[in-house]
């Protein structure tokens, strides 16, 4: 996967993504990062890229031209890097904006199958709408709050997508068996010592009985999801037996409330 980021702060993206697991994935050649500075495409002698909004209002707006020029340069560069440029399909362009669809694990999964992804990061009061209409394929938010710019959201998405790429995590199965697998939260984890300040590790985890451990963990996942994120249960993938367990939990809770 090749990540390309159009931004006014490429060093911020590089610093974050070149660190830790994503940094190692870059070293191993599993992903690559190309953060491009939109300012380099300004025609202005002072390298300005923003201007006042038409119609008035607070703040400044990122101009269409430098964004379009940076995008065209990038797409051309990606195209010429392909073994077969004639069958080249333009990559998706993700505009990171609080007005977008809220990012989640299934979006990360879907995006992880792309060859190239372009992230467009805004700053100031936004980007001239015309260039957004011309180049953007997906508007994505990382949550219902407003940040000062799109760099952190782009980094969040790059991180979430990268860890789904085979080989990025040391343990290939671990990206599957964890929070949001089957739309459930992950079960609690324990490590040594067996007793910590009087609190014991659940007995079943010491039993060595794998089937029992698996079923205990699934029940813990279902219980956690019911207690912390019941909204996820609507799309949870459960067996008949697990549905019965969930019904039992709901019944128990209602019983506790009314007794
Ligand atoms: N830019 C500013 N706030 C944002 C958010 N919550 N998600 C994506 N991009 C943003």
């Amino acid at each position: 996967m090749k990540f390309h980021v159009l931004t006014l702060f490429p060093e911020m993206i590089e610093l974050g993504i070149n660190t830790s697991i994503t940094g190692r994935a870059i070293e191993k050649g599993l992903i690559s990062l190309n953060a491009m500075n939109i300012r380099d495409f300004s025609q202005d002698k002072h390298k300005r890229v923003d201007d006042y909004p038409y119609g008035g209002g607070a703040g400044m707006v990122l101009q269409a031209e430098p964004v379009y020029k940076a995008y065209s340069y990038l797409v051309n560069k990606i195209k010429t890097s392909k073994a077969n440029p004639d069958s080249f399909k333009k990559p998706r362009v993700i505009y990171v904006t609080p007005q977008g669809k809220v990012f989640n694990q299934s979006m990360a999964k879907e995006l992880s199958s792309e060859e190239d992804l372009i992230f467009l990061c805004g700053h100031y009061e936004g980007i001239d709408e015309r260039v957004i209409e011309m180049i953007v394929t997906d508007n994505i938010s990382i949550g219902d709050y407003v940040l000062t710019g799109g760099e952190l959201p782009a980094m969040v998405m790059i991180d979430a997508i990268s860890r789904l790429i085979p080989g990025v995590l040391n343990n290939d199965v671990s990206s599957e068996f964890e929070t949001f697998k089957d739309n459930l939260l992950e079960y609690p984890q324990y490590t040594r010592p067996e007793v910590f300040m009087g609190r014991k590790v659940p007995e079943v985890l010491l039993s060595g009985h794998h089937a029992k451990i698996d079923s205990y963990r699934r029940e813990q996942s279902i219980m956690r999801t019911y207690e912390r994120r019941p909204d996820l249960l609507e799309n949870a993938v459960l067996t008949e037996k697990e549905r019965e367990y969930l019904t039992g939990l709901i019944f128990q809770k209602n019983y506790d409330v009314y007794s």
Side-chain angles (χ1 to χ4, degrees):
M1 162 73 75
K2 297 184 181 73
F3 295 107
H4 310 270
V5 187
L6 300 175
T7 167
L8 290 172
F9 301 97
E11 48 316 316
M12 184 172 171
I13 305 275
E14 281 160 1
L15 205 66
I17 301 301
N18 281 324
T19 308
S20 184
I21 294 178
T22 44
R24 275 202 299 280
I26 291 173
E27 278 169 19
K28 285 200 243 167
L30 297 167
I31 61 169
S32 70
L33 174 68
N34 165 32
M36 279 174 47
N37 196 336
I38 296 168
R39 200 176 294 282
D40 292 342
F41 295 83
S42 166
Q43 299 289 81
D44 181 86
K45 67 172 186 287
H46 302 295
K47 293 273 170 211
R48 262 186 72 171
V49 287
D50 62 328
D51 212 329
Y52 294 98
Y54 277 120
M60 303 293 270
V61 177
L62 196 49
Q63 291 170 301
E65 185 171 274
V67 174
Y68 190 76
K69 284 214 156 89
Y71 166 77
S72 304
Y73 174 87
L74 173 60
V75 170
N76 197 46
K77 200 171 119 184
I78 300 171
K79 181 176 177 177
T80 51
S81 75
K82 299 291 174 199
N84 192 356
D86 292 336
S87 60
F88 170 73
K89 211 175 123 270
K90 281 186 187 157
R92 282 161 81 171
V93 179
I94 297 167
Y95 178 36
V96 280
T97 163
Q99 296 184 13
K101 193 172 165 201
V102 178
F103 189 61
N104 63 23
Q105 191 65 20
S106 59
M107 285 157 83
K109 182 95 197 149
E110 193 243 326
L111 290 168
S112 71
S113 62
E114 299 286 331
E115 228 175 277
D116 293 87
L117 278 177
I118 302 176
F119 289 86
L120 172 61
C121 302
H123 251 269
Y124 314 115
E125 279 308 300
I127 302 179
D128 189 308
E129 192 65 23
R130 291 165 294 183
V131 73
I132 295 174
E133 288 165 6
M134 288 163 79
I135 69 171
V136 169
T137 58
D138 303 76
N139 291 280
I140 308 184
S141 166
I142 60 158
D144 292 335
Y145 44 84
V146 182
L147 300 166
T148 55
E151 285 72 19
L152 285 171
M155 285 157 72
V156 165
M157 291 185 231
I158 291 171
D159 188 292
I161 296 165
S162 296
R163 62 186 290 292
L164 298 175
I165 292 165
V168 169
L169 296 181
N170 288 336
N171 177 359
D172 240 12
V173 288
S174 70
S175 78
E176 284 287 316
F177 288 88
E178 58 187 15
T179 299
F180 299 122
K181 159 100 165 88
D182 291 341
N183 234 43
L184 295 172
L185 301 184
E186 198 188 20
Y187 48 79
Q189 297 275 20
Y190 303 87
T191 186
R192 288 197 293 184
E194 231 178 274
V195 182
F196 174 69
M197 295 176 83
R199 291 165 184 261
K200 249 192 128 270
V201 170
E203 205 61 49
V204 60
L205 299 179
L206 311 174
S207 69
H209 194 304
H210 295 299
K212 274 193 187 153
I213 292 173
D214 285 349
S215 120
Y216 166 80
R217 284 178 163 167
R218 280 293 285 190
E219 287 186 2
Q220 288 292 312
S221 282
I222 296 165
M223 191 190 301
R224 261 202 175 182
T225 312
Y226 176 58
E227 283 168 357
R228 299 181 184 184
R229 290 291 308 276
D231 56 300
L232 293 176
L233 286 171
E234 203 179 316
N235 296 313
V237 183
L238 301 178
T239 63
E240 196 62 39
K241 214 169 142 227
E242 288 168 350
R243 288 216 166 271
E244 277 168 26
Y245 173 72
L246 175 61
T247 309
L249 287 179
I250 298 168
F251 185 79
Q252 183 64 45
K253 187 169 179 200
N254 289 336
Y255 180 80
D256 291 347
V257 167
Y258 292 110
S259 63

